[in-house]
Coordinates of all heavy atoms in Angstrom, one line a residue:
K1 N -1.1 2.2 23.8 CA -1.0 0.8 23.9 C -1.1 0.1 22.6 O -0.4 -0.9 22.3 CB -2.0 0.3 25.0 CG -1.7 0.7 26.4 CD -2.7 0.0 27.4 CE -2.3 0.4 28.8 NZ -3.3 -0.2 29.8
L2 N -2.1 0.6 21.8 CA -2.3 0.0 20.5 C -1.1 0.3 19.6 O -0.6 -0.6 18.8 CB -3.6 0.5 19.9 CG -3.9 0.0 18.5 CD1 -4.1 -1.5 18.5 CD2 -5.2 0.6 18.0
I3 N -0.6 1.5 19.6 CA 0.6 1.8 18.8 C 1.8 0.9 19.2 O 2.5 0.4 18.3 CB 1.0 3.3 19.0 CG1 -0.1 4.2 18.5 CG2 2.4 3.6 18.4 CD1 0.2 5.7 18.8
E4 N 2.0 0.6 20.5 CA 3.0 -0.3 20.9 C 2.9 -1.7 20.4 O 3.8 -2.3 20.0 CB 3.1 -0.3 22.5 CG 4.3 -1.1 23.0 CD 4.3 -1.0 24.5 OE1 3.6 -0.2 25.1 OE2 5.1 -1.8 25.1
R5 N 1.6 -2.2 20.4 CA 1.3 -3.5 19.8 C 1.7 -3.6 18.3 O 2.2 -4.6 17.8 CB -0.1 -3.9 20.1 CG -0.5 -4.0 21.5 CD -2.0 -4.4 21.7 NE -2.3 -5.7 21.3 CZ -3.5 -6.3 21.3 NH1 -4.5 -5.5 21.6 NH2 -3.7 -7.5 20.9
L6 N 1.4 -2.5 17.6 CA 1.6 -2.5 16.2 C 3.0 -2.2 15.8 O 3.4 -2.6 14.7 CB 0.7 -1.4 15.6 CG -0.8 -1.6 15.7 CD1 -1.6 -0.4 15.1 CD2 -1.2 -2.9 14.9
Q7 N 3.8 -1.6 16.6 CA 5.2 -1.3 16.3 C 6.0 -2.6 16.0 O 7.1 -2.5 15.3 CB 5.9 -0.5 17.4 CG 5.5 1.0 17.4 CD 6.1 1.7 18.5 OE1 6.4 1.2 19.6 NE2 6.4 3.0 18.3
A8 N 5.6 -3.7 16.5 CA 6.4 -4.9 16.2 C 6.0 -5.6 14.9 O 6.5 -6.7 14.7 CB 6.2 -5.9 17.4
C9 N 5.1 -5.0 14.2 CA 4.6 -5.7 12.9 C 5.7 -5.6 11.9 O 6.6 -4.8 11.9 CB 3.4 -4.9 12.4 SG 1.9 -5.2 13.5
P10 N 5.7 -6.6 10.9 CA 6.7 -6.6 9.9 C 6.9 -5.3 9.1 O 8.0 -5.0 8.7 CB 6.2 -7.8 9.0 CG 5.3 -8.6 9.9 CD 4.7 -7.6 10.8
E11 N 5.8 -4.6 8.9 CA 5.9 -3.4 8.1 C 5.0 -2.3 8.8 O 3.8 -2.3 8.7 CB 5.4 -3.6 6.7 CG 5.8 -2.5 5.8 CD 5.6 -2.9 4.3 OE1 4.9 -3.8 4.0 OE2 6.3 -2.2 3.4
F12 N 5.7 -1.5 9.7 CA 5.0 -0.5 10.5 C 5.5 0.8 10.0 O 6.8 1.1 9.8 CB 5.3 -0.7 12.0 CG 4.8 0.4 12.8 CD1 3.5 0.4 13.2 CD2 5.6 1.5 13.2 CE1 3.0 1.5 14.0 CE2 5.1 2.5 14.0 CZ 3.8 2.5 14.4
A13 N 4.6 1.8 9.7 CA 5.0 3.1 9.3 C 4.1 4.2 9.9 O 3.0 3.9 10.2 CB 4.9 3.1 7.7
T14 N 4.7 5.4 10.0 CA 3.9 6.5 10.4 C 3.7 7.5 9.2 O 4.5 7.4 8.2 CB 4.6 7.3 11.5 OG1 5.9 7.7 11.1 CG2 4.9 6.3 12.7
C15 N 2.7 8.3 9.3 CA 2.5 9.3 8.3 C 1.6 10.4 8.8 O 1.1 10.3 10.0 CB 1.8 8.6 7.1 SG 0.1 8.0 7.4
S16 N 1.4 11.4 8.0 CA 0.5 12.5 8.5 C -0.9 12.1 8.3 O -1.3 11.1 7.6 CB 0.8 13.8 7.6 OG 0.4 13.5 6.2
D17 N -1.8 12.8 8.9 CA -3.3 12.5 8.8 C -3.7 12.7 7.3 O -4.5 11.9 6.9 CB -4.1 13.5 9.6 CG -3.9 13.3 11.1 OD1 -3.7 12.1 11.5 OD2 -4.0 14.3 11.9
E18 N -3.1 13.6 6.6 CA -3.5 13.8 5.2 C -3.1 12.6 4.3 O -3.8 12.2 3.4 CB -2.8 15.1 4.7 CG -3.3 16.4 5.3 CD -2.9 16.6 6.8 OE1 -1.8 16.0 7.2 OE2 -3.5 17.4 7.5
I19 N -1.9 12.1 4.6 CA -1.5 10.9 3.8 C -2.3 9.7 4.1 O -2.6 8.9 3.2 CB 0.1 10.7 4.0 CG1 0.8 11.8 3.3 CG2 0.5 9.3 3.5 CD1 2.3 11.7 3.4
L20 N -2.6 9.5 5.4 CA -3.4 8.3 5.7 C -4.8 8.4 5.1 O -5.4 7.4 4.7 CB -3.5 8.2 7.2 CG -4.3 7.0 7.7 CD1 -3.8 5.7 7.1 CD2 -4.3 6.9 9.2
A21 N -5.3 9.6 4.9 CA -6.6 9.8 4.2 C -6.5 9.3 2.8 O -7.6 8.8 2.3 CB -7.0 11.3 4.2
K22 N -5.4 9.3 2.2 CA -5.2 8.8 0.8 C -5.3 7.3 0.7 O -5.7 6.7 -0.3 CB -3.9 9.3 0.2 CG -3.8 10.8 0.1 CD -4.8 11.4 -0.9 CE -4.6 12.9 -1.0 NZ -5.6 13.5 -2.0
A23 N -5.0 6.6 1.8 CA -5.0 5.2 1.9 C -6.3 4.6 2.5 O -6.6 3.5 2.3 CB -3.8 4.6 2.7
S24 N -7.0 5.5 3.2 CA -8.2 5.1 3.9 C -9.4 5.0 3.0 O -9.6 5.8 2.0 CB -8.5 6.0 5.1 OG -9.7 5.7 5.7
S25 N -10.3 4.1 3.3 CA -11.6 4.0 2.6 C -12.7 4.8 3.3 O -13.9 4.8 2.9 CB -12.0 2.6 2.4 OG -12.2 1.9 3.6
L26 N -12.4 5.4 4.5 CA -13.3 6.1 5.3 C -13.3 7.6 4.9 O -12.3 8.1 4.5 CB -13.0 5.9 6.8 CG -12.9 4.5 7.3 CD1 -12.5 4.6 8.8 CD2 -14.2 3.8 7.2
E27 N -14.5 8.2 5.1 CA -14.6 9.7 4.8 C -13.7 10.4 5.8 O -13.0 11.4 5.5 CB -16.0 10.1 4.9 CG -16.9 9.7 3.8 CD -18.3 10.3 3.8 OE1 -18.5 11.3 4.6 OE2 -19.1 9.9 3.0
T28 N -13.7 9.9 7.1 CA -12.9 10.5 8.1 C -12.2 9.4 8.8 O -12.8 8.6 9.6 CB -13.7 11.3 9.2 OG1 -14.4 12.3 8.5 CG2 -12.8 12.0 10.2
H29 N -10.9 9.2 8.6 CA -10.2 8.1 9.2 C -9.9 8.3 10.7 O -10.0 9.4 11.2 CB -8.8 7.8 8.4 CG -7.8 8.9 8.6 ND1 -7.0 9.0 9.7 CD2 -7.4 9.9 7.8 CE1 -6.2 10.0 9.6 NE2 -6.4 10.6 8.5
Q30 N -9.5 7.2 11.3 CA -9.3 7.3 12.8 C -7.9 7.2 13.2 O -7.6 6.9 14.4 CB -10.2 6.2 13.5 CG -11.6 6.4 13.2 CD -12.5 5.2 13.8 OE1 -12.1 4.6 14.8 NE2 -13.6 4.9 13.2

């Protein structure tokens, strides 16, 4: 449901867990 809400955003993208870790400020992203 959250993914569906976000898909309508102006800039929506998918990536691997490893790539999101490079953009995240968390030790373990969610």
Side-chain angles (χ1 to χ4, degrees):
K1 290 184 178 179
L2 181 58
I3 293 174
E4 185 177 350
R5 295 177 73 182
L6 293 173
Q7 281 179 327
C9 292
E11 196 163 18
F12 174 81
T14 61
C15 66
S16 67
D17 290 330
E18 292 74 21
I19 287 180
L20 183 53
K22 298 296 183 180
S24 175
S25 60
L26 303 176
E27 290 187 11
T28 303
H29 69 79
Q30 299 177 30

